[in-house]
Amino acid sequence: MATAAQRRIKSVSYAKYGYIFTAPFFIVYFIFMLYPLIQTFILAFYGNGESNKLHEAGTCIHNFVGTSNFRAILLGGEDRASRAIHKEFFHYFGNTLIIWIGNFIPQICLSLLLAVWFTDLRVKMPGKGFFKVVMYMPNIITAASVAALFMSLCGNSKYSVLNNFLLNHNYIDEAVQFATNKWSSRIIVMFIQIWMWFGNTMIMLMSGIQGINESLFEAAEIDGANSRQTFWRITFPLLKTIMVYTLLTSMIGGLQMFDIPYMFHTGNIINEHIATVAIFIYDFFHKDYLHPSYGYSAAASVVLFVITAILGALVFYVQRDKDAIELRKKRKAARKEAQRKAARGGGLGL
Amino acid sequence: MNKLKKSLALIATLAIASTALVACGGSSSSDKPADTTKASDTTKGSETGEGNTTTTAANAEAPKIEFPDTGDKLSILSWTGDDLNVMIDCFTKNTDYKTDQVVWVPVGTNGGEAREKYATYFAGDGDADLLFLEADWILDYIDNDEYTAPLSKLGFTNDDFKGCYKYTVDIGTNQAGVLKGATWQCTPGAYFYRTDMAEKYLGVKTQSEMQDKVKDWDTFTATAKELQEKAGKKIAMADTLGGMWQVWQYNRSQAWTDKDDNLVIDDYCKKYAELAKEYYDKGYVTKEDQWQNGWYQIGQDESTLGYFFCTWCLGTGSMLSNAEGGVKMKDKLDENGNPMKDEKGNKIQEIDFTEDGKVQPLNKDIWGKYDICNGPSGWAWGGTWFAASPKCDNGTLAHDFVKFFTVDPVTMEKYALQKSEFVNSPTVMKKIVDDKSNHNELLASGDQFAILYDAASKIDMTGKITKFDSQIKNEFNDAVTKFVKGDIKDYDAMIEQFKDKASKIAGLHVD
């Protein structure tokens, strides 16, 4: 009897169904994620252009060129093309950082403020659900529509809403080129990013605040802490983990920012004050489609990847739990101390 | 199958022969007999009627159509149906071909998209007989034998296009000197101005008086100054920087590169950049962008006296019509009465004609107030070329189609009048001008062809075409725009940036 049962258990293995059901994910992952990822790294070491020479005669996407793409991007070079690429990359990288920082700081402040208000038990705000939905809404609209919307609100044309308003009230004499001027265009893009993402961040921070043990707030209230003290002593420190998460995701997203800066322009000219690294990458393999410069694009992607990884590691290092490390160190020291004592005691005992 | 093909060919021959006979009553006759012989070539001796004797000699060396006739439909790749739908209509009305024999295969929604998507389309196994190519990037495709075949394979010789404007043939010829593209249109541009404003502020009453005021760029500038002084407010003379650039880009004295592919920067660059800067700063050109709504509004609220437009800007529902306030439009409906949508899901609109077939202008004050004069220099803007795909499997039909619009003056005239198109033949256009058979209600003088006929003759592109043109021009215009708007401090910095950007163009040498 027992042997038959054992045999049956042996013969029916459900493991293979597990493999079959998970296979589609892995197949798709390997083909569309892992392979392109590896291929990007490989392409970064190959030449540019279908059959020639972007700046070095005789190289094409089939030729191994070593680190010359990286050298051009990071260090520039002798010829004009390399220098131009170098200059452009760092210009665009600077734009990316400016736009990201300019949108992240106000965004996190706004989101935090709203998240605290919405979760505070003492603030009895009517229609909380409505506001949450409305504030999340901009995130649902496609970037293309948002860019088009803002183009008609504050574009270059004297018929755009902002220019029209200013002209009608005689604040200005002629149309301001909001969409192409250096700082106005950057501020507009920052504003769009804030407007699109603060709802999302707010919801994330709210879930973080709601995860904090209620009794802590109650205890603080009983002890007579005011809202400011509650926020700085309880909410903020305990929200650190979720803040780090927000910072990281926002940073990764911010460094790869593409859609709004790319689409916020008229005609064929991408505004180079708001052009980001992602636009640099896109431009290189896309603009001259018959001579795609995959090498530079891939090399720039790899550089961006490394920068993101370093910044990510930095964030983790800065935000690491110092108390826990301290505690671990202390424990270690105590253990060693105990061992030493034990050893010495043993010696004495002998 | 074979039988069907034979009878089709016979019908086609008879059809063409009959149009030839009808047209024989007219004045021109040099081209029609060629029709019949060419058709008889393909049908191998089926009856063709008279007229053979005179043409056999001329056609002795005419190449045969090398493409098979195995396909059932002529597939034409294009990003727009604006031209093609009228073409198919005109072609099938005037030949024996049926409307379902010629189909439009939409690729992309604008020229730029099509430029990229053609390459992808060719990688697949989709049917392709002919394709549309835009002036800016035609060389990309005609330089590549994978995408285009010589027109000689369609049974044409270079002599067939002798009657066309020379610059169109230059553009349709690839770097190796092989003719691969033929166009049905010539696209000269001119200056279009508001007659009421010109009279009010400048005292100009006729087209020739206006031309005197804008005959070259110095005069143009002087008039711009005069206009602002007399009007006492900022009125521009030119619509947009984009419009000015279109005029200037056709007026280089030499090619953008020398024979070793080195970028050439000459006085022209400086002249244009400084003129554009002056115009922008002084308000002689508006600050609006082309292709945006503001572009059309400036024409109605006295922001500008005029526009730089070309032949294809002048039809009903086109740019000039928009600048005059536009016409009443309605949603286009399908057979079931539901609104039709394009690839991107936007509703397709069409002109809402009255019952007696008239358009309904929205701004009656300005409608028909514009008129045309040559302007400061001759120029052309864009244009679209036919090229044959190497995959073409409807040789005869493709030959007949291309011939209908680019070689045969009789049918070209029909198309010119149906579409109000400036077709690619001086002879035909001269005839239309002399006959005064064109009427354009957008213009005070009622006709654009007389002036444009003159403008077309001035376009000369010989030796000025390089494969880098579209990219170089984009980068240059880009740099000038930034310079003009104050983003770049001075001219030298502008040239430096232009060179930086140009150095990224594959194969171009920049010092």
Side-chain angles (χ1 to χ4, degrees):
Chain A
M1 285 293 276
T3 48
Q6 270 170 352
R7 215 183 302 136
R8 216 186 55 195
I9 287 164
K10 233 180 210 169
S11 66
V12 183
S13 163
Y14 291 103
K16 75 170 181 213
Y17 295 106
Y19 289 125
I20 291 171
F21 286 134
T22 51
F25 166 76
F26 283 103
I27 293 168
V28 170
Y29 176 79
F30 284 127
I31 296 175
F32 294 106
M33 303 282 286
L34 195 64
Y35 169 70
L37 203 70
I38 295 168
Q39 184 68 11
T40 304
F41 277 85
I42 295 171
L43 277 176
F45 295 95
Y46 280 80
N48 294 284
E50 199 141 310
S51 57
N52 58 30
K53 73 211 181 188
L54 195 58
H55 67 291
E56 271 177 327
T59 69
C60 76
I61 50 175
H62 306 296
N63 294 126
F64 183 79
V65 295
T67 56
S68 80
N69 293 329
F70 290 100
R71 267 183 282 138
I73 287 175
L74 296 174
L75 306 169
E78 292 296 298
D79 52 331
R80 185 180 279 277
S82 299
R83 268 182 283 134
I85 288 163
H86 168 72
K87 212 166 101 187
E88 188 172 299
F89 181 81
F90 281 94
H91 181 194
Y92 287 11
F93 185 66
N95 290 342
T96 315
L97 285 183
I98 289 169
I99 294 174
W100 175 66
I101 292 170
N103 98 70
F104 182 73
I105 293 171
Q107 182 192 326
I108 198 98
C109 295
L110 182 65
S111 302
L112 198 58
L113 185 71
L114 289 168
V116 170
W117 280 351
F118 280 141
T119 50
D120 198 323
L121 297 169
R122 276 183 289 190
V123 180
K124 298 227 159 24
M125 194 188 288
K128 270 185 201 174
F130 170 76
F131 282 116
K132 277 185 226 170
V133 170
V134 166
M135 284 167 183
Y136 190 73
M137 218 64 118
N139 204 249
I140 305 173
I141 311 171
T142 56
S145 314
V146 174
L149 174 72
F150 275 85
M151 210 59 190
S152 61
L153 283 179
C154 35
N156 287 341
S157 169
K158 70 172 175 182
Y159 305 101
S160 72
V161 177
L162 189 56
N163 266 326
N164 206 348
F165 175 82
L166 294 174
L167 281 169
N168 283 345
H169 289 81
N170 292 322
Y171 293 124
I172 48 174
D173 292 335
E174 47 188 14
V176 179
Q177 307 287 296
F178 287 114
T180 42
N181 284 351
K182 191 170 177 177
W183 283 103
S184 59
S185 61
R186 282 178 180 171
I187 287 169
I188 290 167
V189 170
M190 287 174 201
F191 179 79
I192 296 175
Q193 294 285 351
I194 296 169
W195 180 71
M196 281 183 82
W197 289 98
F198 82 98
N200 190 54
T201 314
M202 180 188 78
I203 297 222
M204 230 154 24
L205 293 177
M206 269 168 63
S207 70
I209 294 173
Q210 276 158 352
I212 298 170
N213 196 341
E214 200 101 320
S215 55
L216 288 173
F217 292 110
E218 281 166 14
E221 205 171 329
I222 290 165
D223 287 347
N226 59 24
S227 339
R228 187 174 295 164
Q229 284 167 327
T230 319
F231 175 75
W232 286 112
R233 301 291 167 86
I234 298 176
T235 318
F236 195 70
L238 288 171
L239 210 55
K240 220 166 162 188
T241 13
I242 204 88
M243 295 270 267
V244 172
Y245 171 75
T246 313
L247 178 67
L248 265 182
T249 46
S250 167
M251 192 182 70
I252 293 167
L255 288 176
Q256 296 174 355
M257 198 189 318
F258 176 76
D259 43 13
I260 296 290
Y262 183 74
M263 276 177 277
F264 192 68
H265 71 270
T266 49
N268 298 319
I269 308 173
I270 307 288
N271 180 351
E272 63 171 24
H273 301 303
I274 52 173
T276 60
V277 179
I279 290 174
F280 176 93
I281 294 167
Y282 179 76
D283 249 16
F284 260 102
F285 80 86
H286 192 262
K287 204 171 184 182
D288 187 2
Y289 69 102
L290 284 180
H291 309 278
S293 303
Y294 293 127
Y296 289 124
S297 285
S301 308
V302 171
V303 171
L304 188 63
F305 171 80
V306 172
I307 292 170
T308 315
I310 291 173
L311 287 178
L314 201 71
V315 169
F316 265 119
Y317 180 74
V318 172
Q319 295 282 350
R320 73 197 185 283
D321 195 340
K322 283 167 200 145
D323 296 342
I325 294 167
E326 200 66 18
L327 204 67
R328 215 182 302 144
K329 268 187 189 161
K330 269 186 193 157
R331 266 191 214 142
K332 219 176 173 182
R335 215 181 300 135
K336 270 189 182 159
E337 183 68 28
Q339 275 173 1
R340 217 175 41 222
K341 265 186 190 160
R344 216 185 296 153
L348 274 174
L350 274 168
Chain B
M1 201 53 205
N2 230 353
K3 216 173 189 181
L4 177 78
K5 230 189 308 167
K6 258 187 195 159
S7 51
L8 262 180
L10 182 69
I11 291 169
T13 319
L14 286 175
I16 294 165
S18 64
T19 54
L21 287 175
V22 170
C24 268
S27 55
S28 59
S29 59
S30 59
D31 228 55
K32 260 134 279 131
D35 257 340
T36 45
T37 33
K38 198 121 332 135
S40 72
D41 262 2
T42 52
T43 46
K44 297 211 173 71
S46 56
E47 36 193 330
T48 44
E50 57 280 82
N52 257 342
T53 44
T54 49
T55 51
T56 33
N59 263 281
E61 72 272 37
K64 276 197 181 138
I65 300 171
E66 288 178 39
F67 292 116
D69 283 322
T70 50
D72 51 348
K73 276 175 185 165
L74 182 73
S75 309
I76 305 176
L77 311 190
S78 164
W79 55 92
T80 167
D82 288 355
D83 291 294
L84 195 51
N85 287 335
V86 187
M87 279 183 173
I88 294 173
D89 182 57
C90 184
F91 180 66
T92 47
K93 248 190 228 161
N94 294 300
T95 60
D96 256 19
Y97 290 112
K98 299 276 175 296
T99 28
D100 57 359
Q101 279 182 280
V102 187
V103 290
W104 164 33
V105 182
V107 181
T109 51
N110 58 54
E113 265 181 43
R115 176 185 187 180
E116 290 164 33
K117 288 191 173 171
Y118 279 162
T120 328
Y121 187 87
F122 275 99
D125 53 3
D127 193 22
D129 295 311
L130 295 175
L131 51 154
F132 276 26
L133 301 169
E134 228 171 42
D136 256 359
W137 42 270
I138 183 171
L139 267 181
D140 289 349
Y141 280 93
I142 58 177
D143 266 348
N144 193 329
D145 290 338
E146 269 176 60
Y147 303 131
T148 50
L151 283 179
S152 59
K153 281 198 165 184
L154 267 187
F156 293 107
T157 61
N158 287 14
D159 285 350
D160 286 329
F161 302 100
K162 259 188 179 157
C164 296
Y165 282 96
K166 187 172 173 302
Y167 90 98
T168 66
V169 180
D170 288 343
I171 292 177
T173 307
N174 72 5
Q175 307 259 318
V178 182
L179 184 67
K180 278 189 164 186
T183 177
W184 64 91
Q185 58 183 184
C186 174
T187 56
Y191 183 65
F192 293 79
Y193 64 99
R194 278 262 298 269
T195 46
D196 54 341
M197 280 169 73
E199 190 169 346
K200 189 160 73 177
Y201 299 126
L202 299 171
V204 163
K205 289 205 177 73
T206 64
Q207 282 168 288
S208 57
E209 277 174 42
M210 190 65 210
Q211 176 56 25
D212 283 342
K213 290 258 180 200
V214 294
K215 61 179 186 284
D216 52 47
W217 284 106
D218 289 339
T219 326
F220 197 89
T221 313
T223 309
K225 197 166 172 232
E226 184 191 341
L227 177 69
Q228 289 198 354
E229 278 165 6
K230 289 201 176 151
K233 56 179 177 178
K234 272 209 169 170
I235 299 180
M237 277 283 281
D239 54 331
T240 54
L241 281 174
M244 276 176 72
W245 170 237
Q246 290 301 341
V247 183
W248 274 79
Q249 66 164 338
Y250 258 85
N251 283 291
R252 276 185 68 82
S253 54
Q254 55 181 326
W256 273 107
T257 63
D258 64 14
K259 59 184 189 311
D260 299 319
D261 293 345
N262 292 309
L263 180 67
V264 176
I265 291 170
D266 50 15
D267 286 351
Y268 162 93
C269 300
K270 186 160 189 159
K271 244 160 98 190
Y272 175 63
E274 282 172 355
L275 185 86
K277 177 92 178 154
E278 182 193 347
Y279 273 39
Y280 192 82
D281 289 347
K282 292 185 178 164
Y284 297 164
V285 60
T286 72
K287 294 185 164 54
E288 297 302 310
D289 288 315
Q290 263 178 340
W291 308 113
Q292 308 295 318
N293 286 334
W295 191 30
Y296 304 130
Q297 289 180 24
I298 51 173
Q300 297 162 53
D301 61 8
E302 296 209 347
S303 294
T304 182
L305 177 71
Y307 286 87
F308 287 109
F309 280 147
C310 73
T311 49
W312 45 262
C313 303
L314 312 176
T316 315
S318 64
M319 291 98 227
L320 180 59
S321 137
N322 287 337
E324 295 187 1
V327 292
K328 200 172 163 198
M329 306 289 282
K330 62 176 183 192
D331 289 343
K332 196 171 180 178
L333 304 177
D334 61 12
E335 300 102 51
N336 306 321
N338 301 317
M340 285 168 73
K341 290 185 177 167
D342 66 11
E343 270 182 6
K344 290 184 175 164
N346 300 318
K347 279 181 187 171
I348 299 175
Q349 296 240 300
E350 63 180 354
I351 297 167
D352 190 3
F353 289 103
T354 58
E355 271 165 27
D356 48 348
K358 291 226 169 85
V359 295
Q360 306 173 51
L362 296 175
N363 189 344
K364 292 212 171 69
D365 295 339
I366 297 171
W367 190 257
K369 287 272 165 65
Y370 274 83
D371 215 337
I372 175 174
C373 66
N374 274 325
S377 52
W379 58 289
W381 186 358
T384 308
W385 275 250
F386 287 126
S389 150
K391 286 185 184 175
C392 178
D393 55 6
N394 294 83
T396 315
L397 182 45
H399 170 93
D400 292 346
F401 193 82
V402 173
K403 180 171 188 149
F404 187 97
F405 295 103
T406 63
V407 177
D408 188 345
V410 177
T411 50
M412 281 165 92
E413 184 180 344
K414 286 189 175 134
Y415 182 63
L417 293 174
Q418 182 170 342
K419 176 98 200 311
S420 200
E421 172 79 274
F422 195 103
V423 293
N424 190 7
S425 161
T427 334
V428 172
M429 291 321 294
K430 184 90 178 67
K431 182 164 179 289
I432 293 176
V433 170
D434 290 346
D435 292 355
K436 295 196 170 38
S437 45
N438 174 55
H439 179 72
N440 190 336
E441 62 173 308
L442 292 170
L443 297 169
S445 60
D447 172 55
Q448 72 269 35
F449 287 151
I451 300 281
L452 289 171
Y453 175 76
D454 188 32
S457 62
K458 290 183 195 160
I459 305 166
D460 177 18
M461 292 301 286
T462 313
K464 292 188 210 167
I465 301 165
T466 77
K467 63 179 167 181
F468 307 108
D469 280 356
S470 69
Q471 285 172 294
I472 294 179
K473 286 193 288 195
N474 280 341
E475 297 298 357
F476 180 69
N477 185 31
D478 206 357
V480 171
T481 309
K482 283 176 185 158
F483 168 61
V484 166
K485 293 196 172 182
D487 248 5
I488 302 177
K489 278 184 206 75
D490 53 25
Y491 174 75
D492 292 334
M494 182 203 103
I495 289 295
E496 204 52 28
Q497 190 174 79
F498 167 51
K499 280 181 173 174
D500 275 356
K501 296 274 181 191
S503 69
K504 294 199 287 176
I505 299 170
L508 179 71
H509 305 304
V510 184
D511 59 352

